[in-house]
Amino acid sequence: MATKKYTVTLPEELAEEIRREVGPGAFSAYVTRAIEHQRERDRLGELVEWLESEHGPLAEDELAAAEVERREHERYFTARKSGAARDEGAREPYRKAG
């Protein structure tokens, strides 16, 4: 991908904190990833708005079920990252035991 220099204004304290953490050579890459991440979130927000306009908002029970599922995924991937998933026989989300 071609690159081009831009001038942006950032809070000095934040910029210096990031520069110390990632190093001066990785600052632009960090900012690029942050912009890409925000862009993805914006597009997901647009998708949610469109889906709600087409199908209506989610009901409370649907939101609760989604939160239970999100927590299950979070537990699985946290355990997997720590190696506990293999040790404790944790199953992947969506897979039925047995």
Side-chain angles (χ1 to χ4, degrees):
M1 175 188 318
T3 60
K4 182 178 177 181
K5 278 194 173 221
Y6 290 90
T7 301
V8 297
T9 304
L10 301 170
E12 183 177 3
E13 189 175 297
L14 175 62
E16 292 305 318
E17 182 180 326
I18 298 303
R19 188 179 298 274
R20 279 190 304 275
E21 289 177 13
V22 302
F27 186 78
S28 290
Y30 185 93
V31 171
T32 298
R33 286 191 311 273
I35 292 170
E36 288 170 342
H37 178 78
Q38 183 61 48
R39 191 169 171 211
E40 289 172 5
R41 290 183 60 87
D42 292 347
R43 289 189 172 153
L44 285 171
E46 292 169 5
L47 175 61
V48 168
E49 287 178 14
W50 179 80
L51 288 169
E52 286 184 341
S53 73
E54 291 290 313
H55 306 286
L58 293 172
E60 287 298 320
D61 62 324
E62 293 170 317
L63 289 171
E67 179 60 18
V68 167
E69 192 172 309
R70 185 196 67 78
R71 288 182 181 169
E72 181 179 327
H73 283 274
E74 185 176 4
R75 278 191 302 273
Y76 171 77
F77 285 105
T78 299
R80 183 174 162 192
K81 187 175 182 179
S82 71
R86 289 184 301 276
D87 299 338
E88 297 173 13
R91 64 180 178 86
E92 291 186 39
Y94 295 115
R95 295 211 177 170
K96 299 291 183 196

